[in-house]
Amino acid sequence: MAEEEVTEPAKKKKKGGGFRETIFLLAGGVGLALLLQAFVVGSFYIPSESMENTLLVNDRVFVNKLDPSVDRGEIVVFKGWNGEDTIKRVIAVGGDKVVCCDSKRRITVNGVALDEPYLYPDDFPSGDEFSVTVPPGKLWLMGDHRSASADSRAHYERSEGWISEDDVIGTAVLRYWPLNRISTFSTPETFSKVR
């Protein structure tokens, strides 16, 4: 059998097909990454000290956007009081009564005192006293560095302390930057006692 000779135009055609395939794969990968970012997992940068020491300035976290449920104790990213993406801890959900403070200066939710080991060292649960019942579909959120956090307490006086559950973008699941502080987030044990 005679060998077939490959002509010059056939070589060019094959080369061009590989290039188009590479561009298609790159475009598909970028499209998939954008879809994941928009609907599944988001990456967020920490701009302030309001969540120290749990989250430090310049940390970066991944947020789960798929699960719409929000539970007490979770760290969430939401559209904040000024319209910007904000990150805080959920202290209470719709129907909960939140009070500051009990005789030991602890915040209570539905009469259960919270032990908050995640608070910034030597910080206090709240400098402001309050007693509120969270409306249905709303959340009461506070930073872990309470004395440096403009959270639900700061906006309560204008009846804007609540954040709608619909304003939650997602729940923080993983700190991925800096590399030496990679960790996942879990709900603190104290919130399991609240009914």
Side-chain angles (χ1 to χ4, degrees):
M1 244 187 171
E3 279 186 30
E4 259 184 58
E5 222 175 273
V6 179
T7 60
E8 202 57 37
K11 286 181 183 176
K12 285 183 180 173
K13 187 175 180 186
K14 188 173 185 177
K15 204 181 238 183
F19 179 73
R20 280 191 297 270
E21 185 177 292
T22 301
I23 294 299
F24 176 75
L25 288 173
L26 283 173
V30 168
L32 180 61
L34 290 173
L35 283 172
L36 288 173
Q37 169 77 16
F39 300 108
V40 180
V41 66
S43 173
F44 292 89
Y45 157 82
I46 308 305
S48 75
E49 65 275 1
S50 71
M51 284 296 292
E52 289 178 343
N53 275 339
T54 305
L55 295 167
L56 303 179
V57 174
N58 297 325
D59 281 0
R60 297 198 191 302
V61 297
F62 282 132
V63 172
N64 175 3
K65 296 181 175 184
L66 279 181
D67 185 3
S69 65
V70 179
D71 294 319
R72 296 176 201 97
E74 292 181 331
I75 298 170
V76 296
V77 173
F78 58 97
K79 286 294 175 196
W81 296 274
N82 59 4
E84 295 178 0
D85 292 347
T86 307
I87 190 163
K88 302 283 184 216
R89 187 178 300 275
V90 177
I91 300 299
V93 297
D96 287 346
K97 183 173 184 179
V98 189
V99 176
C100 181
C101 289
D102 70 3
S103 61
K104 294 182 180 177
R105 301 296 304 155
R106 297 174 298 183
I107 289 178
T108 65
V109 178
N110 300 334
V112 176
L114 298 180
D115 293 315
E116 300 183 280
Y118 47 79
L119 287 182
Y120 186 77
D122 299 324
D123 211 348
F124 41 84
S126 179
D128 304 320
E129 294 200 5
F130 55 86
S131 177
V132 297
T133 300
V134 182
K138 304 289 185 182
L139 303 170
W140 182 267
L141 300 127
M142 298 173 78
D144 289 356
H145 190 172
R146 301 282 163 80
S147 60
S149 179
D151 49 37
S152 288
R153 298 165 301 157
H155 300 277
Y156 175 67
E157 292 299 318
R158 298 186 308 255
S159 299
E160 300 170 355
W162 338 107
I163 288 292
S164 172
E165 289 179 1
D166 295 336
D167 289 334
V168 173
I169 296 166
T171 303
V173 291
L174 172 75
R175 175 185 29 245
Y176 69 91
W177 188 262
L179 294 176
N180 65 341
R181 297 185 66 235
I182 290 176
S183 64
T184 57
F185 301 111
S186 60
T187 304
E189 180 68 29
T190 192
F191 289 95
S192 67
K193 300 171 189 169
V194 179
R195 304 275 176 240

